[in-house]
Amino acid sequence: MRGSTCAALAVTAAGAVGLGFVAPQAKSIVPSSSMTRTSSASSTAPARSAASSARAVPSAAPVAVAGLGLLSLAGASARRSKKSKKSVVSLRARGGEEDTRVCIPLEELRNTDVEKVGGKSASLGEMISQLSDVGVPVPGGFSTTAFAYKEFLDKGGINEFINDKLSDESIYEDVDKLMKVGKEIRDKIMDTPFQEDFEEELKAQWQRVSGGDEKFTFAVRSSATAEDLPDASFAGQQETFLNVMGYEDMKQKVHLVFASLFTDRAISYRHDRGFEHEKVQLCATCQKMVRSETGSAGVMFSLDTESGFKDVVFVTSAYGLGETVVGGTVNPDEWYVFKPTLAEGKNSIISRTMGSKLCKMIYKAGGGSETVDTSDEEQNSWSASDEEVKALAEMAVKIEKHYGRPMDIEWARDGDDGKLYIVQARPETVASQKKVGVIEEYKMLEKGGTKIAEGRAVGKRIGSGEVNILTSIDQMSEFSEGQVLVADMTDPDWEPIMKKAGAIITNRGGRTCHAAIIARELGIPAIVGCGDATDKVSKGDKVTVSCAEGDTGYIYEGELKFEKNVQDLGELPEVGLKIMMNVGNPETAFAFGQLPNEGIGLARLEFVINNAIGVHPKALLNYDTLDGETKELVDERMKGYKGPKDFYVKKIAEGVATLAASVYPKRIIVRLSDFKSNEYKSLIGGEQYEPDEENPMIGFRGCGRYTDPFFEECFAMELEAVKMVRGEMGLKNVEIMIPFVRTLDMARDVNEVLEKNGLKRGEDGLKVNMMAELPSNVFLAEEFLEYFDGFSIGSNDLTQLTLGLDRDSGLVAQYFDERNPAVMKGLETLIKAAKKKGKYVGICGQGPSDHPDLAKWLMEQGIDSVSLNPDSVIPTWQFLAKK
């Protein structure tokens, strides 16, 4: 039906307007999604009675469909000329008298029209007119106006009724009272008919956009005059209705949208943020729907939502209408795209995580939507291709550049034409508002607590308290201040209790869903997408919710001790050496990368292998010979990748790329894998490949593995990953470091292996450093430097082997001290040799992190850099500056 209706109409470059769309060469009439995270036009929500509790069903991202037929502007103009004089504009020039139009086409709006049509409609008009020509397509339509809304409330006598009801301050403390008052106001609005001239223009605009086709589908969404502000998102506070067919249905949904300004959650949200109810006007954005129910949709941010790191675009996606992502019904796929290399045309996807995507929302015949289970194939495949993710990121960058601030954007892919469309864009309101130079850090003080469950961390905070499991919004009155809210999922209706929670835990949802957005705004630690949290904890349990350990959030048994530190760094002075960081966990990289630093001096590759892969490389290379049980474990981990080798190489590449991006263009020194045999054995499949060694600490490890035929193919996969990061991904700031080089022959041989695998020292700016950590490295320091570009001193192993200690043994731990005179003599020798040869020398052991006085001594010896644990960066910097 869509095709037959549209194909019959022709487009002219001069004056044709599409059925809800703008010709690509013309000024765009295709709106982007609303700026509030009610949902976008690609989703569909069933109509509900405003007399009910009016819960939000955020719509999924709308999509503009190329190829739809277009309707002549002349016809639309003729219809408008017949409308009542009451709705004509007094003076159309901007800045003139009041605009008394009751409906305005989106293509005529700009971002300066928030007071006329609300934030969502104004933003859509802005993108249609300003960004369509640079490759940001947006669906079109029209908006009702604040003037029409005020006139409706005045003529219907509703204003006095509302003001009287909301003047009772007790409703903001009593959830039951709030629900009662909200329902009374919504009923009053729904019982009051629209004014005649408004209905006339509403029908004229419906006719203009739909061409009179009763099966033409709209998304009808709220657009408030106080929403999508840089410091308040109003995410999901009013209603959205999707897959709206026919004029009568659209009129009813506009009425319901008007009533939704007084949902319980919206009343509470405005009051808590100091917005006067009578000064907020509500408009309805009526936008062309798109067929994303047979495609995919999602949300993206033009920065990292957790750390505020601004050089990435964070993209999420799931199958079907975008409401499942927006509303937190589904755990979506996630990607990070690095902006600097995206601009260079490189393979800029630096990280990807496959979500479970257990369900999707699709259209119901005759209007509305329904949620159905996804297939096994959908659950085990990416809902967007790499090319689509990069194209979306390019759009996000263009939108961010136009608005001059980080943005929160909804998108959708049309299942019919396969094209991508932007359906909503609004300012990001949390991470971008953090004060520069102020470091807030939460840290667990009790280690080794019992982990009950885990999921996606929202924010970087820690909270604890007594669990209260809620299954329905009707249980609001049972929730007490400071409790830990545990639920299958939440939506914006839950905001009045979310603000009282000490922490929030949900089974479902991703880091861009409503629950996550509200939790960030409220500053409450939240863990979403746990899967089974409601089964793992019981009402009354005491738990600790930690979001301070990377992208993964953990729920611990009991109320564990933690600390919070806030530092205003001000201007840190220069000191006599470069302060770098030891960072191995890609999940923490974006947060640590914003500390004052000169790069990463030690990135342990084994951390990436252990956490992101968890499988022995030999087991992957011999996948076909694995037993059934082991194969199942491996298959679960490598979902979404082409095969075992592709999985291993790309996971390493993504981990290294994320670390490198966090400090780009500053250097990052990646130490190639230095697992001991007992550590390799603990990986999946490792038992059958690793020997039993009496002392693995000085056994088959480091460079000795790289040049051994047993490990040659495994090491080649590591090198392929590094080559990918430096080459096709464009992160040339990556250097490599070789650990545990016992002899000069090993030094020579490992360089030959590197060259054989396309990583020749000095070629394409590649630097190869050696980890100086053995007495042999000290005695033959100058000779070893013939094979390397510099030393990164590993003071942990150097201390162990100089003093003859096993640092894993508690019996001799009291003798372990990197400030021992013998160890310091070795350090001095290595520094002098590097200086003599004009080579780089830094230190990346634990010593300088634990002992700032050692860092001071190293500075006096002329060392180039000290690489510290992130929590030691500021204290050590301040210590050195004082001296």
Side-chain angles (χ1 to χ4, degrees), residues 75-88 100-104 142-144 148 151 155 193-209 247-248 250-251 254:
S77 299
R79 282 192 297 277
R80 285 200 298 272
S81 67
K82 297 176 183 178
K83 70 188 187 78
S84 166
K85 292 181 180 180
K86 291 180 182 179
S87 61
V88 298
T100 59
R101 285 178 290 178
V102 293
C103 294
I104 303 177
F142 65 93
S143 177
T144 67
E151 194 174 47
K155 289 185 177 179
F194 287 146
Q195 58 270 41
E196 183 182 345
D197 64 319
F198 176 66
E199 283 201 34
E200 287 180 7
E201 182 61 10
L202 193 65
K203 188 162 188 177
Q205 289 296 326
W206 171 82
Q207 177 74 28
R208 178 184 72 87
V209 177
Y247 169 68
E248 289 301 325
M250 188 182 72
K251 184 176 77 169
V254 170

Side-chain angles (χ1 to χ4, degrees), residues 511-660:
R511 289 188 295 152
T512 57
C513 72
H514 278 120
I517 291 173
I518 297 300
R520 282 191 204 97
E521 273 195 18
L522 296 172
I524 296 171
I527 300 178
V528 298
C530 296
D532 56 2
T534 50
D535 297 326
K536 293 289 186 66
V537 298
S538 301
K539 187 172 182 177
D541 287 353
K542 299 293 179 65
V543 298
T544 299
V545 177
S546 174
C547 298
E549 301 172 61
D551 287 348
T552 302
Y554 298 101
I555 299 104
Y556 294 99
E557 190 176 284
E559 293 186 273
L560 306 181
K561 293 179 181 177
F562 62 89
E563 67 177 4
K564 172 187 175 181
N565 293 307
V566 179
Q567 279 190 303
D568 192 338
L569 302 181
E571 290 292 325
L572 288 173
E574 289 189 11
V575 291
L577 53 82
K578 292 182 177 180
I579 295 181
M580 303 177 78
M581 300 182 296
N582 302 327
V583 183
N585 183 359
E587 292 187 0
T588 62
F590 294 154
F592 290 150
Q594 295 178 84
L595 290 169
N597 71 81
E598 290 294 335
I600 295 176
L602 173 62
R604 299 176 176 91
L605 199 59
E606 58 268 21
F607 196 104
V608 176
I609 295 170
N610 189 51
N611 288 277
I613 298 172
V615 184
H616 196 288
K618 276 283 188 182
L620 291 171
L621 289 169
N622 298 303
Y623 173 81
D624 292 337
T625 68
L626 298 177
D627 62 79
E629 185 178 347
T630 305
K631 266 189 179 178
E632 278 187 28
L633 293 172
V634 173
D635 289 345
E636 180 62 27
R637 286 177 173 264
M638 66 181 193
K639 283 193 302 187
Y641 293 85
K642 295 177 183 177
K645 183 177 178 181
D646 182 65
F647 166 63
Y648 193 79
V649 171
K650 285 185 178 174
K651 273 298 182 187
I652 290 178
E654 289 165 16
V656 171
T658 300
L659 292 165

